[in-house]
Each structure stands twice: as C-alpha cells, then as structure tokens.
Amino acid sequence: MNPAELNIFSSRLNAVCEEMGLVLRNSAFSPNIRDRLDFSCAVFDSQGELCAQAAHIPVHLGSMAYAMRDIVAGIDWRAGDQVMLNDPFLGGTHLPDVTVIAPVFCDERLIAFVVNRAHHADIGAASPGSMPISSRLDEEGVVIEPVHLLRDDVFVGDVLDRVTQQTRNRAESRGDFSAQVAANRAGARRLQGLISGYGSAAFVAGIQALNDYAERLARASLAEIPAGRYSFTDFLDDDGQGNRDIPIKVTLIVSGAGIVADFDGTAAQVDGNVNCPLAVAAAAVYYVFRCLMPAQMPACAGAFRPISLSAPGGCLLNARKPAAVAAGNVETSTRVVDVVLGALAEALPERIPAASHGSMNNLAMGSATPGAAWDYYETIGGGMGAGPAGGGLSGVQTHMTNTLNTPVEVLESRFPLRVERYALRGASGGEGRRRGGDGLVREYRFLSAAHFTLLTERRGHAPWGVQDGGAGMVGRNLLNGELLPSKCEGNLAAGDRLRIETPGGGGCGSPLNEKS
C-alpha cells in the first residue's frame, strides 16, 4: 500500500471500532454505559495484536493491547463464537470491566477479532456499585474466567444466567451483556465486509504494513528523549485497609533500542484493593508515551514495540491472585501515569506537564435494602495539570479515563437522589506562571436510605507542579459536613448529603517568573 492507501485502510479499521461503540451505546440499558460511555471497542489480528481502536478509555484499551495475545491463544475459536471474561489475572482489569471477544473468519480462516469491554455497575459484589472496600478478589463480585457466551451465534446454556442472577437488577444487567454481543456482531459483519473487499492476503499484509509504519513513527518520536536513566517516585494515599503512603517508583531506561519502564522499588502488593495486574500498569505506560507521538500515529501494536516494562512479581503493579484490585484499575493506573510523567519531566522539561488531579474520584452507590434495587457508579473529573504550552483545564477527566458525567436529569429521574451542587472548585488549581485547572464540587442529597462507597486519591498527597509551579489542592470527601477518609463505605439515611470536592491540577513555572 502507498501512504494514501495505508491511511484509508487505517481509517476504515477505526470506523469499525467507532460503529461498534455506537451500537453498544445505543443498545445498553444502564446509564453507566449509555450515558457515561464507560466502554471501549477495538480490532485485533488473529494473534491478538492490536490493529485499531476507537478513542474510548485508555485503561481499557492499553490493557487489552497488552493481554489479548495470551487470551486468544488458549481458546478453540469457531465462527459465531463470543467469549467473555473479567478475571484480572487472566486478561481483565477489575471485575466490573467485562470483555467480550468475537472471532472474524473469512473463507474459513481466522483473520481477526472484534472486542469490546464495558463497565458494569453491578457485577455481584455485596455492596451496590460493585466497587467495595475489599481485601480479596472474590469480595468484588463474580469472577468470570474466559468462557464461551455464544457458540455458533447462539447463547450457551445458562452461562449468562449464572452471572446475571447474582446482580440486583437482572433485566438491566442482561440488557448490557446483550448490547455487548450486538456490538461485536455489528463489528464482525463490518470487518468481514472490509476483509472481503481487500482479500484476506491483502488485508493481512495491510495490517503488517500498518504496524511497521507505526513502529517507525514511534521510534522517531521516542528518539527525541535523551538517552539515560530517569527515576521518579510518587505515593498512593492509602489502600483502605490501614496501609498508608504507598510508594510507586519507576526508572525509565532510554536507549537506542527503545525504552524500558522498570518499577523495581514499588511497594509490595497490599491488603486493600489498590493492587493491579501488570496489564493495567502497561496501559498507563503505553498511554504516556502515546501522548508523545504524532497525531497521525495509528492505534496498533506497532506503536508499542519500542516500549517494554518490568515489575517484580507480587508487587503493587504485578499483583498475584487473589489480591483485591477494584481500585487498582482506576486509582493506581492514574498514579502510574504520574510517576512516568514525573520521570520524563527530567528528560523533557519543556514538554511535560504538571500532575493532574490524579484520581477518578470513584463513587458507587445503591439501595441499602432489597426490594427497590438500584446500583450506580460514576467517576468525577478534576483539574488538569498545567504545562509549558498552557494552563490546565478545569473540571475534566484526565489520563486513564475518558468518560462523560451522567447528566443530572438522568440521575435524578433514575435514582432516589438530588444533585444539590455541581460546580468548579475555585482556586483549587496550583499556582504558577500557568495555573493548574480547578477541581469540581459535586454534592448529592439522598431521598431514601442508600449505601455508598468512595474510592478516591490525592486526599493526602497533592498533585505536584513542574518548574517551580505550585501543587494542586488535595480533594475532600464529606458526609453532612464531616470529613470522610479517602476510601470508605457506609449507609445513608434519607436527607443525608454526600459532597465530593476533587483535587486541582499542579501549576507550571514560578508565579514570580514573568517570562512568557
């Protein structure tokens, strides 16, 4: 393929992923998927190497790119199959993220896979929202090892029933799984048409050419980083089980051969749920370096060939089963981004921004008693870190998540609560020649008894600035005006008010430095 043909080929692959996302969104039942867009779609080749992805959730997509080869290698695939899984130690991230994989055959030859991953606000944990203050994986919900959900395009026995019967709202849960199946069916049809149009051999050759092109672009981009070793350490506030100030350390080893991210010196896995599998850490590393690459970079495996990582087995970022991981996917992945950016700030001071708010500010909630079952989960934005090119944005999602907020009207019409306040948290961004973005204030008043869980970070360790810029303000969680820990759960009575104040981003440059 010439450059123009390769660009068209890449765009057509991306369009398959985008269409899958539209089908999933429009078919889903839950606000978490339909309104917040907490899902991701991608295409992989027959070996499980990433070919294309939509601009969905970085932590979903990067972890799939890292783990899919091992997942697909162990399964006997037939046309019409769909396999689902969520086991973090067999290719998943955390239990609410359920992955559904479908093979794409052409002339009886396995050519590719279409894949989607969606966050289910109820995956069977004891607490509503399925993001508990856990200490073991089995406390976080139903663990699904890779299993055929469909064979020959027909649902297999009671596989789906065994999962949905452990949820509070079975109809909604089943609807979301059906939406994932529908998205893969749509993607497989569209991809089969694309493969038939090119011919199998030309399609496979096109994937190879795309990966080779992406690798050339990646190596050219990463060559701008001076060779050397760059280290940085940052901390998680706590794990919800009494362990505090948990270090994450990275050393970036930059050479002509590529980049190694070495996490030796990171804390051992902990009792709480901020552990994560290595695939989640890989997603964060891939994301940071992808941000340094040009906009035309194809989202395929070739882009990541020059990058490798290592983490000691049994550490926080390479935890062993049955470690709890619910917050590792959302909070620890975000801190991995911070430490990689912190190390790069030494190598590329004129390109790297300050730390952003550094937490997905996770809130899970639902009915406290059976009979009026409801579950809801959301992440809340904060302040973006300022950088050499400009100040940080306010009230946005950053880095490893890319979800929307659920509209207030949807929340209040679906659930027994009111959003009393939703506003920017003024002056929470770090000072500097360029200020960090401000966080958010989101306050809920509950109309009936409920249960809540908070998994948040940057309540103790502030988002750092760069080039003498100030730190962003730490976040706060309050119940009826009383300060709550960063990770906690409890029961709410009618009339209670839960208020989340999210962190601001770090500033860039000394406030006294008047240079532009």
Side-chain angles (χ1 to χ4, degrees):
M1 293 181 181
N2 63 41
E5 291 171 334
L6 192 62
N7 186 54
I8 292 169
F9 179 74
S10 178
S11 296
R12 295 182 75 182
L13 284 172
N14 291 339
V16 172
C17 303
E18 296 287 355
E19 184 172 341
M20 290 170 64
L22 288 172
V23 171
L24 179 50
R25 178 184 187 178
N26 292 334
S27 304
F29 282 34
S30 69
N32 201 61
I33 298 174
R34 189 188 65 242
D35 297 296
R36 288 189 57 248
L37 311 188
D38 200 343
F39 63 82
S40 299
C41 301
V43 172
F44 291 79
D45 70 13
S46 60
Q47 302 302 309
E49 296 284 346
L50 181 66
C51 301
Q53 63 185 41
H56 290 155
I57 313 296
V59 72
H60 288 176
L61 295 164
S63 55
M64 283 196 283
Y66 185 83
M68 194 60 63
R69 175 182 281 273
D70 291 338
I71 297 171
V72 302
I75 296 171
D76 173 30
W77 295 101
R78 299 202 307 241
D81 283 356
Q82 297 212 31
V83 166
M84 70 173 176
L85 66 110
N86 72 351
D87 190 331
F89 300 98
L90 293 174
T93 52
H94 62 174
L95 298 187
D97 286 343
V98 180
T99 305
V100 183
I101 308 167
V104 178
F105 285 81
C106 194
D107 298 326
E108 299 184 351
R109 177 187 174 190
L110 176 61
I111 302 295
F113 295 92
V114 291
V115 182
N116 69 74
R117 176 172 284 171
H119 184 113
H120 292 249
D122 182 4
I123 199 64
S127 59
S130 289
M131 292 287 282
I133 307 296
S134 48
S135 57
R136 288 178 55 89
L137 181 66
D138 56 13
E139 297 171 351
E140 298 177 353
V142 182
V143 181
I144 308 169
E145 297 182 356
V147 62
H148 277 88
L149 180 60
L150 279 79
R151 268 292 205 186
D152 303 316
D153 209 29
V154 175
F155 281 93
V156 175
D158 64 348
V159 170
L160 185 57
D161 288 337
R162 289 203 306 270
V163 175
T164 58
Q165 71 185 2
Q166 298 182 66
T167 64
R168 289 172 174 77
N169 189 329
R170 298 177 187 177
E172 182 173 282
S173 179
R174 192 176 188 91
D176 285 345
F177 279 109
S178 296
Q180 290 187 261
V181 168
N184 277 354
R185 283 173 170 162
R189 285 195 300 270
R190 191 67 70 195
L191 192 59
Q192 282 173 331
L194 188 61
I195 295 168
S196 297
Y198 280 104
S200 297
F203 179 86
V204 172
I207 294 298
Q208 180 63 50
L210 193 64
N211 279 313
D212 290 345
Y213 169 64
E215 182 178 1
R216 291 195 299 272
L217 276 182
R219 290 192 181 279
S221 299
L222 299 179
E224 298 175 8
I225 306 172
R229 298 171 66 94
Y230 308 98
S231 296
F232 192 83
T233 302
D234 205 340
F235 297 85
L236 293 173
D237 293 338
D238 67 280
D239 70 343
Q241 300 288 344
N243 298 297
R244 304 191 61 82
D245 305 325
I246 303 164
I248 298 177
K249 179 182 179 180
V250 71
T251 298
L252 300 180
I253 305 164
V254 182
S255 68
I259 293 176
V260 177
D262 182 358
F263 289 95
D264 190 30
T266 293
Q269 68 186 62
V270 293
D271 299 326
N273 61 15
V274 295
N275 307 290
C276 62
L278 192 58
V280 168
V285 173
Y286 290 164
Y287 162 80
V288 173
F289 287 106
R290 176 64 183 84
C291 290
L292 295 175
M293 297 176 190
Q296 71 269 27
M297 171 65 71
C300 62
F304 307 126
R305 286 175 181 167
I307 304 164
S308 61
L309 73 159
S310 65
C315 82
L316 189 76
L317 306 183
N318 192 7
R320 295 191 175 103
K321 200 171 186 174
V325 297
N329 181 59
V330 286
E331 298 303 280
T332 307
S333 68
T334 302
R335 194 64 69 257
V336 172
V337 169
D338 289 343
V339 298
V340 176
L341 285 173
L344 283 171
E346 181 184 349
L348 299 171
E350 295 305 316
R351 293 183 65 182
I352 302 302
S356 293
H357 59 102
S359 175
M360 295 192 197
N361 302 294
N362 304 270
L363 171 60
M365 50 188 168
S367 54
T369 56
W374 63 277
D375 278 77
Y376 179 65
Y377 163 76
E378 70 177 8
T379 59
I380 306 171
M384 179 183 289
L393 300 177
S394 297
V396 292
Q397 302 280 11
T398 59
H399 297 321
M400 297 310 288
T401 187
N402 193 26
T403 56
L404 301 180
N405 56 201
T406 300
V408 171
E409 296 84 355
V410 173
L411 268 182
E412 295 186 345
S413 65
R414 289 288 300 268
F415 307 121
L417 56 81
R418 294 290 180 264
V419 178
E420 295 289 307
R421 182 173 174 80
Y422 190 30
L424 293 178
R425 187 185 179 204
S428 56
E431 294 186 355
R433 187 169 74 251
R434 296 184 174 89
R435 288 192 63 96
D438 288 334
L440 286 168
V441 176
R442 195 158 165 95
E443 183 172 336
Y444 312 81
R445 176 168 57 89
F446 290 82
L447 305 183
S448 63
H451 184 93
F452 77 95
T453 305
L454 284 167
L455 294 172
T456 62
E457 273 289 328
R458 294 294 192 199
R459 270 55 181 173
H461 293 275
W464 39 264
V466 291
Q467 300 179 30
D468 297 320
M473 189 180 295
V474 296
R476 299 199 310 164
N477 309 322
L478 301 106
L479 176 59
N480 298 326
E482 297 293 325
L483 196 64
L484 293 172
S486 65
K487 296 169 187 68
C488 62
E489 62 181 329
N491 293 317
L492 300 162
D496 280 350
R497 293 173 181 261
L498 183 63
R499 181 184 178 97
I500 316 299
E501 299 178 0
T502 69
C508 177
S510 170
L512 301 179
N513 188 337
E514 299 299 329
K515 293 180 181 180
S516 61

